Amino acid sequence: MERFTWPKNLSSRCKRTIQGLLHGQNPTKKLRHLFDTHSQTSNDTGQPLFTEDLIMGVLGSFSYTQSLSSSTQSDEVLQVPTNACVRSQASEGSESVKSHFQRSPVSILQRQPLMEAATAISEDRADVAWDILTRLSAMPNPVGNYSEQKLMVYMLSALKSRVSPVDNPPPVAELFTEDYLWWDLSLYEESPCFNLGFMAASRAILEAASEQPSTNKLHVIDFGISSEGQYRDLLYELSKRQAGNQSTLKITTLADSFDREERLRIVGDRLGELAATRRVRLVFNIVSQKLSELSRDSLGCEADEVLAVNLAFKLYRIPDESVCVENPRDELLRRVKGLAPRVVTLVEQEMNGNTAPFKVRVGEALAYYGALLESIESTMRWAPSKRARMEKGLSGKLRNTVACEGRERVERSEVFGKWRARMEMAGFELKPLGQHVAELLKATLRCNQGYTVKEENGGVCLGWGGRTLTVASAWRQTPLAPLAPLTPIFPPKKRYVMCYRRRWRWR
C-alpha cells in the first residue's frame, strides 16, 4: 500500500480529524468547523494553499459520497482510494503546481458518475443515464475548487442535452451568435495557452519573411482572424526590423458564418490606427468566396511579396470525411497548397474530440476542459468579469463537443499526430519552429507559474499542469523530387545499309 506524507505545517488536531474520517467516522461538521476556525484565527499568512485544499478536498469527497449513496437505490458502493490524502510536495518547487493539479482522488470521485452516465448513453440505456444525471443535479455542488464545480455544471448540461435534446436543446445555433463570438475571442486573447499559440505562429511568419530579404512586402491570408493580438505583434516586429524602406503588411481575411464582415472591419480599422503609429503600411482586405473560387488572383497575391497562410484555430471547425463525402477540410488544404505560400501556420487544441467514441470523447472533454478551467481560474482570479466571458465560451465548446453529432457538432478538435498526417497527405512538410521559439514563449510566461512550454516533434506545445492544451506548428510545401532521365521504351529504328556484296542488310 502506498504511504502518504503529511504536510509539515498541518496541526495534530487536523491529522486526528482526517484519520477519523478515513476510518469511517462522520465528523463532517467538526471538520468544517475546524477549517472555518483555522481560516479566521490563523496569523500565518505564509501557509501554503495545499493545506486548505487537503481539508476541503477530503471534506468534499466524503460529503459527495454520502449524498450519492443515500440517493441511489443500487447496492454499488463507490470506493475511496486508501491513499486519498494529497502528498506534500512543497520542497519540490514548481512541481507543487503539478501536484495541485493532480488531485486525482477527489476529481475521479466527482467525475465518476458522469462517466457512468456516458457509458449508459453509449450503450443506449438512456433511462439509466437520465436517472444518474437527475440524482447529480439534485445534489449540492461538491466542495472543492471553483473550476471543478464549473466543469461539473457544464458536463451535466451537455449530457442532459444528449439524452433529452427536446427538453434541453443542444448548443448549435448559439455558437453562431454575436455574443458567443465575443466570448470565444476573449478566450483566445486572454488565455496564455491560446494567445501564445498565436505568438508562435507570428514568429514562424516573420522567419519566412526574413528568408526572402529581397522584398519588404508580407502578405498574410487568414481564414478567420481569431486574435487581433497576433497582428499587433506582427506590426510591432515589422516596425523594429524595417531599415530605410517602409515595410508593407497586407492582410486578406475571409468572412464567413463565424467571422462576419462587420467585426472584421472593426478589427481592420483598429489595426490601421496601430500601423500608422508604427510607420508600417497596412493593406486590409475582406473577401467572401467559396472554396472552389480561391486562387492567387482572387485573393490579390503578387509576385514580389512573401505569402503566408494562417490557419490558427480554423481547421477544427471545418467538417472532414467523417461528416460528409465532400470533405471540406481536405479541400481547403488543397486550395491552400495551390496558392504556393512560403509558410502555413497551424494552431489547434490538443484534444481527441473528432472521431473518438462517445465515452472516450466525454473522458477527453473532462480532462481537457478541467485543465483549461483550472488554468483560467489561476490566471484570471482577480478579473471575474473577463473570467466569466471566457468560461461562457468554454461552456459552449464543451457542450457542443459532447451533446451534438453530425454537422451540428462544430467542435471537432484533433491531436497533433492526426493533424500532422493530414498535412503531409495534403503535400506539406513540417517546418520546425525550433527551441528558440519555445524559449521566447517561456520568457513571456515567467510571471504565470503552472503553464508549460516545450518543443516536441517540431511543434511548440503549450499546457497546464502536465497536460498539453495547444500545439502550434509551421508547414511548407513538400519540394518536388527531381525527374529521372527518360529511358527509351522502344529500341532505335534500324536502317538499311549496303554491305560490300551489294546487298541490303539491317543495321
Side-chain angles (χ1 to χ4, degrees):
M1 181 182 297
E2 187 176 349
R3 299 178 61 86
F4 60 83
T5 304
W6 290 107
K8 294 181 180 180
N9 55 356
L10 190 65
S11 64
S12 58
R13 186 178 179 183
C14 290
K15 294 179 183 179
R16 287 195 303 270
T17 304
I18 295 174
Q19 285 175 341
L21 187 58
L22 290 175
H23 282 85
Q25 300 177 18
N26 186 22
T28 305
K29 294 183 179 179
K30 292 183 180 180
L31 186 56
R32 191 185 298 276
H33 175 71
L34 174 65
F35 174 77
D36 292 340
T37 305
H38 166 78
S39 61
Q40 294 174 4
T41 59
S42 177
N43 295 324
D44 185 10
T45 58
Q47 187 170 1
L49 271 175
F50 64 80
T51 304
E52 299 177 1
D53 288 343
L54 173 67
I55 299 174
M56 293 304 293
V58 174
L59 175 62
S61 64
F62 278 87
S63 298
Y64 180 72
T65 306
Q66 292 165 7
S67 59
L68 183 63
S69 60
S70 62
S71 61
T72 182
Q73 299 177 358
S74 172
D75 295 331
E76 184 179 358
V77 179
L78 292 175
Q79 299 294 327
V80 180
T82 54
N83 60 343
C85 289
V86 179
R87 296 184 177 214
S88 173
Q89 295 188 1
S91 61
E92 297 182 12
S94 62
E95 292 297 323
S96 62
V97 177
K98 185 175 181 179
S99 67
H100 175 73
F101 171 73
Q102 295 178 341
R103 288 175 293 183
S104 56
V106 178
S107 298
I108 291 176
L109 188 62
Q110 293 176 352
R111 299 176 186 181
Q112 182 178 347
L114 295 173
M115 291 304 302
E116 292 174 357
T119 302
I121 294 173
S122 63
E123 296 174 355
D124 294 329
R125 295 184 294 147
D127 53 343
V128 177
W130 187 255
D131 290 341
I132 297 174
L133 298 176
T134 303
R135 290 199 305 267
L136 290 174
S137 300
M139 294 176 188
N141 288 332
V143 180
N145 60 22
Y146 172 84
S147 59
E148 193 71 21
Q149 294 178 7
K150 286 288 184 181
L151 180 66
M152 297 283 287
V153 172
Y154 298 159
M155 186 58 74
L156 265 175
S157 175
L159 292 175
K160 284 183 177 180
S161 296
R162 180 71 183 226
V163 177
S164 180
V166 177
D167 298 329
N168 303 275
V172 180
E174 69 180 42
L175 298 183
F176 299 89
T177 61
E178 197 71 24
D179 289 338
Y180 180 81
L181 178 62
W182 286 109
W183 299 337
D184 215 24
L185 293 175
S186 65
L187 177 66
Y188 291 142
E189 292 282 354
E190 300 293 341
S191 173
C193 287
F194 290 94
N195 59 39
L196 290 184
F198 290 108
M199 184 180 293
S202 298
R203 291 300 178 274
I205 293 173
L206 288 169
E207 286 186 5
S210 63
E211 292 172 357
Q212 197 167 341
S214 59
T215 180
N216 60 345
K217 295 181 180 181
L218 175 61
H219 187 180
V220 181
I221 298 175
D222 198 322
F223 287 82
I225 297 181
S226 301
S227 173
E228 184 180 332
Q230 179 180 9
Y231 294 102
R232 291 197 297 265
D233 182 43
L234 263 178
L235 288 171
Y236 176 72
E237 292 296 329
L238 288 175
S239 66
K240 290 197 309 181
R241 300 185 181 193
Q242 63 184 359
N245 296 331
Q246 185 183 29
S247 298
T248 299
L249 174 61
K250 183 193 295 184
I251 302 174
T252 301
T253 181
L254 282 81
D256 56 16
S257 55
F258 282 102
D259 291 296
R260 294 181 175 87
E261 189 170 343
E262 298 80 10
R263 186 191 74 86
L264 294 174
R265 290 192 184 280
I266 296 174
V267 173
D269 293 341
R270 285 200 293 257
L271 291 177
E273 295 175 0
L274 180 61
T277 61
R278 298 294 182 188
R279 293 183 174 85
V280 176
R281 181 173 177 265
L282 177 67
V283 180
F284 194 89
N285 298 323
I286 303 174
V287 297
S288 179
Q289 294 179 339
K290 299 179 181 179
L291 282 179
S292 58
E293 300 173 351
L294 294 182
S295 64
R296 290 182 62 93
D297 293 335
S298 64
L299 296 175
C301 301
E302 301 176 5
D304 62 339
E305 59 188 16
V306 178
L307 182 62
V309 174
N310 187 40
L311 293 175
F313 301 107
K314 179 63 180 179
L315 286 181
Y316 79 103
R317 281 182 168 172
I318 298 179
D320 63 354
E321 64 276 3
S322 65
V323 182
C324 58
V325 294
E326 294 86 2
N327 195 356
R329 188 177 290 184
D330 284 349
E331 175 65 18
L332 174 60
L333 291 178
R334 285 193 293 268
R335 293 292 173 178
V336 168
K337 184 184 178 184
L339 299 176
R342 187 85 179 183
V343 66
V344 178
T345 54
L346 181 68
V347 188
E348 290 290 348
Q349 297 174 230
E350 182 73 359
M351 185 178 71
N352 187 16
N354 184 18
T355 58
F358 178 73
K359 183 180 177 181
V360 176
R361 198 164 75 224
V362 172
E364 277 281 295
L366 282 170
Y368 181 89
Y369 287 105
L372 191 52
L373 281 167
E374 185 159 339
S375 70
I376 292 174
E377 180 190 3
S378 174
T379 308
M380 310 298 296
R381 183 172 298 176
W382 309 114
S385 60
K386 291 183 179 180
R387 184 176 68 183
R389 290 196 299 268
M390 297 165 68
E391 289 170 350
K392 287 180 180 178
L394 284 182
S395 172
K397 285 177 173 289
L398 185 151
R399 291 167 58 208
N400 186 262
T401 299
V402 173
C404 300
E405 290 294 347
R407 286 187 176 273
E408 292 185 344
R409 180 148 64 90
V410 179
E411 298 287 325
R412 293 183 171 273
S413 300
E414 299 272 21
V415 295
F416 180 63
K418 291 187 178 181
W419 288 122
R420 182 169 186 165
R422 190 177 294 274
M423 294 293 289
E424 290 175 350
M425 286 190 296
F428 295 96
E429 66 176 7
L430 191 64
K431 184 179 181 181
L433 291 176
Q435 187 63 31
H436 64 286
V437 177
E439 294 299 330
L440 175 65
L441 301 184
K442 284 182 182 179
T444 307
L445 280 174
R446 191 168 298 168
C447 299
N448 292 314
Q449 296 182 357
Y451 290 95
T452 57
V453 180
K454 60 180 179 179
E455 191 274 335
E456 188 174 348
N457 297 326
V460 175
C461 305
L462 306 163
W464 169 267
R467 181 182 177 93
T468 300
L469 299 179
T470 304
V471 179
S473 57
W475 302 82
R476 60 191 168 199
Q477 284 187 269
T478 305
L480 296 176
L483 296 177
L486 295 177
T487 57
I489 301 177
F490 301 103
K493 293 182 178 181
K494 297 181 179 180
R495 55 190 180 90
Y496 284 113
V497 296
M498 184 177 290
C499 65
Y500 68 94
R501 291 185 179 180
R502 303 276 182 182
R503 294 179 181 177
W504 295 98
R505 293 185 179 180
W506 289 106
R507 183 178 180 183

